[in-house]
Structures are given as C-alpha cells and as structure tokens.
Amino acid sequence: PIITYSWPARFLNFFMVIAAVGVVSVPSGLVASGFAEIVQSKAKRRNGQPVGAAGDDWYELRLAELQGVDPPPSRFGPTIDRWQVAVNEFLNGKEGENGVTTWTPFSFFSRIFI
C-alpha cells in the first residue's frame, strides 16, 4: 500500500468496500439476470419450445394490443403532443403504408452520432 492504515481506518475501509460492492454488483446482477431471462425466452420461442413464465414476451404482447391506437392527449397541451410526434419520427423514422421506414436526411445522419 501507499500508506499504512490504522485499525480504525481499516475498519472503516472494510465497510466502504462492502457498500461499494453492494452499490455496483447487486444492480448489475439484477439487470444481467433479467437480460438472460429475456434472451432465453426468445430462444425458446424461436426453437418452437413452449414458453411458460408469466412475464415472457409481455412487451411484444402489449405492443400488439396498442398498434393502431392513438396515444392519449398530453396534459400539457397539443403543442407538446406535436413535439413528441416530431421527436419520435426523427428518432424512429416514419413507417409508410408499404411497411418501409423512411428518415429525413438530417435524422438519418444524426442517428450515426446518437
């Protein structure tokens, strides 16, 4: 070590290390576990195996329910609604009736840097 620590400093450092590990590793483990579950459920579905957990593919099912449904109006007014639609089209493009997504040239090149 660069310096020698007294026993109170070592005692304090022990708890600082335990707290640091808890702050970093526990949330990282939770995120990694959730990601692994999603990947496994997608692999099962792709391979034709039954997917049994209650939370599997909930996002895709909810998205399918909401297709074609207009979003609720913003409580901040129609101007904010227009801004939200404009930002969504800038980031995600605009899907045409033939299913092809198109972007403006500015948004296409901006996506490179996002």
Side-chain angles (χ1 to χ4, degrees):
I2 296 173
I3 63 170
T4 56
Y5 292 103
S6 63
W7 73 267
R10 288 182 184 179
F11 187 75
L12 180 65
N13 283 340
F14 171 77
F15 287 107
M16 289 173 56
V17 168
I18 296 297
V21 167
V23 165
V24 173
S25 66
V26 171
S28 298
L30 292 173
V31 169
S33 174
F35 180 72
E37 285 182 25
I38 290 170
V39 169
Q40 288 173 353
S41 71
K42 299 252 185 228
K44 283 182 182 178
R45 190 175 67 184
R46 195 177 316 117
N47 294 334
Q49 298 174 352
V51 181
D56 286 340
D57 302 328
W58 67 269
Y59 180 81
E60 287 83 3
L61 294 172
R62 184 70 176 133
L63 181 63
E65 290 175 5
L66 293 174
Q67 289 295 334
V69 176
D70 289 334
S74 171
R75 64 182 178 161
F76 299 110
T79 304
I80 301 298
D81 288 340
R82 286 193 301 274
W83 288 353
Q84 288 176 339
V85 170
V87 167
N88 184 37
E89 288 179 359
F90 174 77
L91 294 174
N92 299 321
K94 189 171 188 175
E95 188 172 324
E97 284 147 24
N98 57 358
V100 176
T101 302
T102 57
W103 291 276
T104 64
F106 180 69
S107 67
F108 180 77
F109 289 111
S110 297
R111 288 174 57 88
I112 295 171
F113 300 107
I114 292 179

